[in-house]
């Protein structure tokens, strides 16, 4: 007797291909198991979009625009860069909704990564047609501004730290898949690099950082701000100011001649 490859009563689970977030949200909310059968295709390049990195294409994450249409992150970035080059407003290829601008920092909003689990869906923002809102300041600017403020506080709240030439205390921020570090202004001609980590012991600075982490996470829920700040953590370091590599090489050669 030959073996039966698929028993008569076995039913294969159909792949989920919907790339309009309100519809896909309904499917995934009613059956979270459908996350495992997602087969989402970018409508621009027609390549697979990643949602669960271990199951899907890892380099082209599914990104939801505020209008609800979804495209691969690389294609969204390319589309935005091309519009910037032409000094035009980027638009959704499907409904032609213009990418809105964060009013406080003036950075354009290019959507957010699609939630990768059912637990993340409730805090994901509603699309604009459902009353969703664009944050006044993008997530990157919120984090960078907060890092600058916390770094200034660190100098006044921490006991003296032994440091070398051109070294300073500063804060970085991270969450899974993201890392922010301090940078000097583009006109400074110098770079910043982390030379060692510092332990943030119990005290005023740590309490402030924990409160700010909670506040950023709470305020990011349900608002379009490019980066979901849930799970953000601040770390303390010693940074060193450096000349760019090319300039450092020149100075080193010059010093050796002198």
């Amino acid at each position: 007797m030959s073996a039966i490859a698929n028993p008569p009563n076995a039913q294969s689970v159909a792949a989920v291909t919907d790339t309009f977030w309100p519809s896909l949200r309904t499917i995934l909310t009613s059956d979270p198991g459908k996350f495992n059968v997602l087969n989402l295709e970018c409508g621009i390049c027609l390549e697979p979009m990643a949602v669960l990195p271990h199951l899907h294409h890892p380099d082209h994450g599914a990104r939801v625009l505020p209008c609800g249409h979804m495209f691969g992150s690389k294609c969204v970035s390319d589309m935005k860069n091309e519009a910037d080059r032409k000094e035009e407003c980027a638009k959704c290829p499907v409904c032609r909704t213009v990418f809105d601008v964060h009013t406080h920092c003036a950075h354009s909003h290019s959507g957010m990564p699609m939630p990768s689990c059912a637990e993340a869906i409730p805090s994901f923002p509603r699309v604009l047609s459902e009353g969703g809102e664009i944050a006044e300041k993008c997530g990157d600017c919120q984090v960078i501004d907060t890092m600058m403020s916390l770094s200034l506080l660190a100098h006044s709240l921490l006991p003296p730290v032994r440091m070398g030439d051109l070294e300073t205390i500063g804060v970085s921020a991270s969450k899974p898949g993201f890392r922010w570090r301090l940078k000097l202004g583009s006109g400074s001609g110098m770079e910043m690099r982390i030379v060692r980590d510092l332990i943030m012991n119990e005290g005023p600075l740590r309490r402030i950082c924990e409160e700010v982490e909670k506040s950023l996470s709470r305020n990011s829920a349900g608002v379009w701000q490019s980066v979901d700040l849930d799970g953000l953590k601040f770390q303390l370091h010693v940074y060193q100011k450096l000349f760019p590599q090319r300039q450092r090489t020149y100075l080193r050669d010059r010093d050796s001649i002198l």
Side-chain angles (χ1 to χ4, degrees), residues 219-238:
N219 294 339
S220 72
V223 181
W224 292 97
Q225 57 180 14
S226 300
V227 180
D228 179 7
L229 300 182
D230 185 35
L232 186 77
K233 296 293 181 184
F234 293 106
Q235 297 86 34
L236 191 62
H237 314 277
V238 172

Side-chain angles (χ1 to χ4, degrees), residues 55-107:
L55 295 177
H56 301 91
H57 195 292
D59 301 322
H60 202 37
R63 198 164 185 88
V64 185
L65 299 183
C67 59
H69 295 109
M70 299 168 58
F71 303 94
S73 55
K74 184 179 184 303
C75 288
V76 171
S77 178
D78 290 345
M79 183 167 50
K80 180 178 177 297
N81 291 338
E82 178 65 13
D84 289 344
R85 187 183 66 81
K86 295 180 178 179
E87 298 184 349
E88 299 175 348
C89 293
K91 298 178 181 179
C92 170
V94 176
C95 65
R96 309 306 293 169
T97 297
V98 174
F99 285 18
D100 285 291
V101 172
H102 297 279
T103 55
H104 189 87
C105 62
H107 292 140

Side-chain angles (χ1 to χ4, degrees), residues 51-249:
V51 178
L52 305 176
H54 63 290
L55 295 177
H56 301 91
H57 195 292
D59 301 322
H60 202 37
R63 198 164 185 88
V64 185
L65 299 183
C67 59
H69 295 109
M70 299 168 58
F71 303 94
S73 55
K74 184 179 184 303
C75 288
V76 171
S77 178
D78 290 345
M79 183 167 50
K80 180 178 177 297
N81 291 338
E82 178 65 13
D84 289 344
R85 187 183 66 81
K86 295 180 178 179
E87 298 184 349
E88 299 175 348
C89 293
K91 298 178 181 179
C92 170
V94 176
C95 65
R96 309 306 293 169
T97 297
V98 174
F99 285 18
D100 285 291
V101 172
H102 297 279
T103 55
H104 189 87
C105 62
H107 292 140
S108 61
H109 184 82
S110 55
M112 294 177 65
M114 175 192 152
S116 59
C117 62
E119 291 76 15
I121 292 178
S123 62
F124 196 77
R126 297 282 175 176
V127 301
L128 297 181
S129 62
E130 298 172 327
E133 297 181 357
I134 306 291
E136 292 184 354
K137 187 186 294 186
C138 73
D140 286 323
C141 284
Q142 290 185 54
V143 174
I144 292 169
D145 289 351
T146 303
M147 284 167 46
M148 295 294 291
S149 298
L150 291 175
S151 296
L152 291 174
L153 274 176
H155 284 274
S156 60
L157 295 178
L158 292 177
V161 176
R162 189 172 183 176
M163 293 183 288
D165 293 340
L166 297 178
E167 289 186 347
T168 185
I169 295 174
V171 172
S172 73
S174 64
K175 60 165 292 180
F178 295 88
R179 181 76 184 271
W180 294 265
R181 297 182 181 183
L182 290 178
K183 292 183 179 180
L184 293 172
S186 58
S188 68
M190 301 184 77
E191 300 171 350
M192 296 273 280
R193 75 170 181 181
I194 294 173
V195 292
R196 68 180 186 274
D197 300 330
L198 296 176
I199 298 175
M200 196 180 300
N201 294 316
E202 287 290 345
L205 182 63
R206 180 170 175 177
R207 289 195 294 272
I208 291 172
C209 285
E210 290 174 347
E211 286 301 317
V212 172
E213 289 165 358
K214 293 176 183 177
S215 176
L216 288 173
S217 175
R218 185 168 56 248
N219 294 339
S220 72
V223 181
W224 292 97
Q225 57 180 14
S226 300
V227 180
D228 179 7
L229 300 182
D230 185 35
L232 186 77
K233 296 293 181 184
F234 293 106
Q235 297 86 34
L236 191 62
H237 314 277
V238 172
Y239 284 83
Q240 186 179 41
K241 300 176 184 178
L242 297 169
F243 290 104
Q245 184 64 44
R246 184 172 58 184
Q247 193 171 358
R248 290 204 302 272
T249 302

Side-chain angles (χ1 to χ4, degrees), residues 15-30:
V16 176
T17 60
D18 200 322
T19 55
F20 183 55
W21 174 243
S23 303
L24 182 58
R25 179 185 62 206
T26 300
I27 295 171
L28 297 175
T29 301
S30 61

